[in-house]
Amino acid sequence: MDFEIYFPLFDDILYGSLRPELPANAEGHHYMARLQTQILPQTTPAGQYAIRFPAPVNSKTSWYSRQLINETNLYCADAVEFLSEITDERERSYWRDQILDKHLTSCLQIVGEQLRLKEYCWATFCNPTAEDGQETLSNIYIYHLLKVCVAKAFLEIQFLLPDVISWKQTEMQLYQGLAGEQPPVSLFLVKRPAQQLPPTTTGKKEQPVTTQKSYVDESTLQTITKEVAESQEEYLTVQDIAKIMKKDNRTILRRIESGKLKAIKDGRNYLIHRDDFEMYRDSLK
């Protein structure tokens, strides 16, 4: 499968159309419509760490929270599946360098710079004054949640690559050393109890498995693809197409959102007519 190492929504929230400070993204009644039409694939919390972040305070933070946490779960699940297939030590070292040492480290440094530049202190959110308006508090919430989601991804991938990591970071070290926060530092990630965790990869010495979904080998994938292709059902899900195309779910969702793949809304999910999928697949050949 392909794995996009870039953390989802990061650039959009910091610099793009999802930047919370934009007038179009200010808190208001339009967020009720956004929440009603928000399309998110069904996910379950993935990995070793659970996010324990305060509940959203309004419709704006609810929309961003749902979007961020959902994308983070997908990112972590995709990372687990991708890295669990790799047993060569040099290749594992390469991905540690690309994902952890370069990309996620940079993400935490950048979001820390933004928090300081905008003076978005978590203590302000916890103890607001009369001068701190709801919009400012909402933006503080969103930026700090983004920081926590990146930290979760960092710790999850660190856990998957123990054989090529000599110094393991903690959540506090990530916030202080990379995001540049000064103590006291609030923590939001909780290690799941051992009894709630399925086994995970420990590198080249053991058979790698995933923490959310089992690794599908090539022969099984071909069988799944054949069964899907021969199915008499008219519609496919995002997950069906991701398996057939050997892509991650987020890639297929982006194709839908950009209009490259036609789909219809089914609750929070998408359904794609088989004929539309065949046209989409042909366009990629």
Side-chain angles (χ1 to χ4, degrees), residues 19-227:
R19 191 157 60 91
E21 293 87 357
L22 291 177
N25 295 327
E27 165 63 11
H29 294 300
H30 62 285
Y31 272 102
M32 298 306 295
R34 289 192 186 188
L35 287 166
Q36 290 294 334
T37 58
Q38 192 175 31
I39 303 295
L40 299 172
Q42 293 182 351
T43 62
T44 56
Q48 302 287 316
Y49 296 87
I51 296 176
R52 295 290 183 265
F53 204 71
V57 295
N58 52 34
S59 56
K60 175 176 178 175
T61 52
S62 293
W63 189 89
Y64 275 91
S65 175
R66 290 174 60 187
Q67 200 78 26
L68 264 172
I69 291 177
N70 190 273
E71 288 279 359
T72 300
N73 286 335
L74 287 173
Y75 183 88
C76 292
D78 289 343
V80 167
E81 185 172 0
F82 176 75
L83 294 173
S84 294
E85 299 177 13
I86 301 173
T87 57
D88 181 77
E89 184 175 354
R90 289 174 299 178
E91 192 173 357
R92 289 167 66 80
S93 295
Y94 169 80
W95 287 112
R96 181 215 66 220
D97 176 69
Q98 294 297 305
I99 304 172
L100 288 187
D101 300 348
K102 292 181 178 176
H103 179 59
L104 294 181
T105 289
S106 295
C107 286
L108 284 167
Q109 291 172 334
I110 291 170
V111 76
E113 291 171 359
Q114 291 296 310
L115 289 171
R116 292 189 296 275
L117 178 66
K118 301 175 188 298
E119 298 183 347
Y120 285 168
C121 179
W122 185 247
T124 301
F125 179 85
C126 297
N127 299 285
T129 66
E131 298 178 354
D132 300 313
Q134 181 168 283
E135 192 65 27
T136 297
L137 297 178
S138 295
N139 295 343
I140 292 173
Y141 181 100
I142 293 164
Y143 275 89
H144 278 274
L145 178 57
L146 175 62
K147 174 198 70 178
V148 172
C149 288
V150 175
K152 170 180 163 61
F154 191 106
L155 294 180
E156 298 293 3
I157 293 173
Q158 176 180 261
F159 181 85
L160 293 168
L161 300 172
D163 52 316
V164 293
I165 293 177
S166 57
W167 177 263
K168 294 182 179 180
Q169 302 270 13
T170 66
E171 183 186 4
M172 180 175 291
Q173 289 169 341
L174 292 178
Y175 298 157
Q176 290 184 335
L178 298 181
E181 289 193 38
Q182 298 298 314
V185 175
S186 298
L187 304 180
F188 302 98
L189 298 174
V190 179
K191 190 75 178 290
R192 299 181 193 279
Q195 62 269 23
Q196 296 182 7
L197 291 171
T200 188
T201 180
T202 57
K204 59 183 179 181
K205 296 182 180 180
E206 298 181 9
Q207 180 66 28
V209 296
T210 71
T211 58
Q212 184 182 29
K213 49 185 177 181
S214 300
Y215 165 59
V216 180
D217 60 32
E218 186 64 27
S219 61
T220 303
L221 183 60
Q222 291 175 355
T223 300
I224 293 172
T225 302
K226 181 179 179 181
E227 289 176 353

Side-chain angles (χ1 to χ4, degrees), residues 228-261:
V228 170
E230 292 176 349
S231 171
Q232 297 303 311
E233 295 182 0
E234 294 184 1
Y235 291 92
L236 301 173
T237 65
V238 169
Q239 291 78 8
D240 291 333
I241 293 176
K243 288 179 180 178
I244 294 172
M245 302 301 297
K246 298 183 181 179
K247 303 286 185 181
D248 59 65
N249 293 343
R250 290 183 295 114
T251 298
I252 305 303
L253 284 169
R254 290 194 183 99
R255 299 289 192 278
I256 294 173
E257 292 168 355
S258 67
K260 294 180 180 179
L261 176 59

